[in-house]
């Protein structure tokens, strides 16, 4: 098992003494060490970000335990394993990762994480160049990260996470603030990594179109609890998605319309508009 939550609760202190806000309420959850592409969804304040920050010990539970690759994270700081080892295996791409850029050049910024995790200078440089080529930013290595476009900065920051090859990658709204083309490039990158390496990817997103296209499992948070945990098709077949303040993906809205108005019998196992178009064309051949 990669990540396991055992009766995990998290409380944020309020302004007054003995006043708390419950962010997570007795969460039980298991995520495999490899092979999963999980989306975490829910309205603002439902507990998504708090949940994901427990997965590499950025936050410690108030009660319960989180187990990450056999290392038990407890509420008591002194009893926890070396958190650096956990963070090496579970990489976190923050909502605006470009805000973490700080080195003089893109190359140095990408090298920083592997150097921090014990790579030699030569190995860190080779890994940085390899990842830069993967993200098609090798031509930016000698530039200052602060003189790049928003999309380029985002790719440089992501390269810094990929450079030390974590086993599980956490993504907190990785496409937020990007134009549609850049959004697709980022998501295709992570989906390609998932398919080629079998790494588990865990994504927070409000964009149900992205969730429906890429995720194989959806966890829905509502009022600090897990309201749904299962496959994406089942989520949108009933009323669970609307009860949890989610919007049906565009492709499913169009399928509903075509089935109702045109008498088609299209099913929900269609994840992009291109796939839907091909199915409709085939019906008329």
């Amino acid at each position: 098992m990669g990540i396991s939550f055992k009766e995990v609760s998290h409380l944020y202190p309020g302004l007054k003494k003995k006043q708390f806000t419950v962010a997570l309420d007795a969460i039980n959850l298991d995520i495999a060490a490899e092979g999963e592409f999980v989306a975490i969804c829910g309205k603002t304040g439902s507990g998504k970000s708090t949940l994901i920050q427990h997965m590499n010990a950025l936050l410690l539970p108030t009660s319960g335990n989180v187990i990450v690759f056999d290392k038990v994270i407890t509420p008591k700081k002194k009893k926890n394993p070396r958190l650096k080892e956990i963070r090496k295996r579970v990489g976190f791409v923050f909502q605006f990762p470009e805000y973490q850029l700080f080195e003089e050049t893109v190359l140095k910024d990408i090298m920083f994480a592997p150097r921090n995790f014990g790579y030699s200078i030569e190995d860190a440089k080779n890994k940085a160049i390899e990842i830069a080529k993967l993200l098609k930013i090798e031509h930016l290595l000698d530039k200052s990260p602060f003189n790049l476009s928003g999309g380029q900065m985002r790719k440089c920051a992501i390269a810094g996470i990929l450079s030390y090859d974590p086993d599980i990658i956490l993504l907190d709204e990785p496409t937020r603030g990007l134009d549609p083309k850049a959004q697709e490039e980022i998501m295709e990158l992570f989906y390609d990594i998932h398919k080629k390496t079998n790494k588990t990817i865990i994504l927070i997103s409000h964009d149900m179109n992205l969730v429906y296209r890429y995720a194989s499992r959806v966890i829905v948070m509502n009022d600090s609890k897990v309201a749904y945990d299962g496959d994406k098709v089942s989520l949108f077949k009933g009323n669970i998605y609307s009860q949890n303040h989610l919007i049906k993906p565009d492709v499913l809205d169009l399928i509903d319309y075509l089935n109702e108005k045109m008498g088609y019998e299209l099913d929900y196992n269609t994840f992009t508009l291109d796939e839907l178009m091909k199915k409709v064309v085939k019906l008329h051949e």
Side-chain angles (χ1 to χ4, degrees):
M1 189 59 62
I3 300 173
S4 184
F5 285 68
K6 305 294 185 184
E7 292 292 320
V8 173
S9 294
H10 190 89
L11 308 180
Y12 289 113
L15 296 175
K16 297 180 180 179
K17 189 176 181 180
K18 295 185 179 180
Q19 185 183 63
F20 298 93
T21 298
V22 178
L24 298 179
D25 186 4
I27 301 295
N28 289 292
L29 190 64
D30 294 316
I31 297 175
E34 57 183 22
E36 293 209 72
F37 200 121
V38 183
I40 301 175
C41 307
K43 63 181 180 180
T44 301
S46 61
K48 305 183 300 297
S49 291
T50 301
L51 181 73
I52 204 172
Q53 287 180 60
H54 281 74
M55 294 181 183
N56 77 337
L58 286 175
L59 289 176
L60 301 180
T62 303
S63 62
N65 295 323
V66 182
I67 305 168
V68 181
F69 290 107
D70 300 322
K71 290 182 170 56
V72 181
I73 303 169
T74 72
K76 296 182 180 180
K77 292 183 179 180
K78 292 183 179 179
K79 290 189 176 182
N80 280 302
R82 293 176 61 187
L83 299 183
K84 187 174 180 180
E85 296 176 9
I86 291 173
R87 290 167 187 158
K88 183 178 180 181
R89 300 198 69 180
V90 183
F92 199 123
V93 177
F94 290 89
Q95 191 171 117
F96 294 102
E98 58 268 31
Y99 290 172
Q100 299 168 261
L101 300 173
F102 63 92
E103 286 282 9
E104 296 174 358
T105 66
V106 169
L107 177 61
K108 288 183 178 180
D109 226 306
I110 299 173
M111 288 176 60
F112 178 81
R115 286 289 291 144
N116 189 46
F117 287 125
Y119 284 59
S120 68
I121 292 177
E122 183 180 358
D123 288 344
K125 183 176 181 179
N126 289 337
K127 191 65 178 178
I129 293 171
E130 175 189 336
I131 296 300
K133 289 180 180 177
L134 175 67
L135 273 69
K136 300 178 181 179
I137 56 171
E138 64 269 29
H139 60 293
L140 303 176
L141 289 174
D142 293 328
K143 295 183 179 295
S144 166
F146 306 108
N147 292 330
L148 307 178
S149 69
Q152 289 173 330
M153 291 177 73
R154 183 73 55 93
K155 286 185 177 181
C156 291
I158 289 171
I161 302 297
L162 299 180
S163 63
Y164 61 89
D165 197 26
D167 296 293
I168 293 176
I169 302 174
L170 311 177
L171 309 174
D172 188 356
E173 295 276 6
T175 61
R176 188 164 183 172
L178 298 179
D179 61 63
K181 182 179 179 181
Q183 288 183 16
E184 184 173 9
E185 287 179 354
I186 293 296
M187 289 305 302
E188 283 294 325
L189 166 68
F190 284 113
Y191 191 68
D192 192 50
I193 290 170
H194 167 68
K195 287 298 182 182
K196 288 181 178 178
T197 67
N198 207 34
K199 288 183 187 293
T200 286
I201 307 286
I202 302 171
L203 163 74
I204 287 180
S205 181
H206 286 94
D207 189 333
M208 292 302 103
N209 293 318
L210 293 181
V211 168
Y212 204 67
R213 180 171 181 173
Y214 294 104
S216 54
R217 172 185 174 189
V218 182
I219 296 169
V220 180
M221 297 293 295
N222 196 352
D223 294 331
S224 310
K225 295 183 179 182
V226 175
Y228 177 86
D229 182 359
D231 71 275
K232 56 190 176 185
V233 174
S234 298
L235 171 63
F236 291 103
K237 275 186 174 179
N239 296 321
I240 296 175
Y241 75 94
S242 59
Q243 292 168 357
N244 289 280
H245 311 279
L246 303 179
I247 297 174
K248 185 175 283 190
D250 292 342
V251 67
L252 297 188
D253 275 336
L254 187 51
I255 286 173
D256 289 342
Y257 177 84
L258 292 173
N259 286 346
E260 180 182 350
K261 299 296 183 180
M262 304 296 292
Y264 294 153
E265 295 182 355
L266 299 162
D267 62 53
Y268 274 15
N269 289 292
T270 306
F271 306 113
T272 68
L273 293 175
D274 284 343
E275 287 180 27
L276 178 58
M277 186 180 299
K278 290 176 182 177
K279 288 187 177 182
V280 171
V281 169
K282 192 171 183 180
L283 288 174
H284 290 272
E285 288 179 347

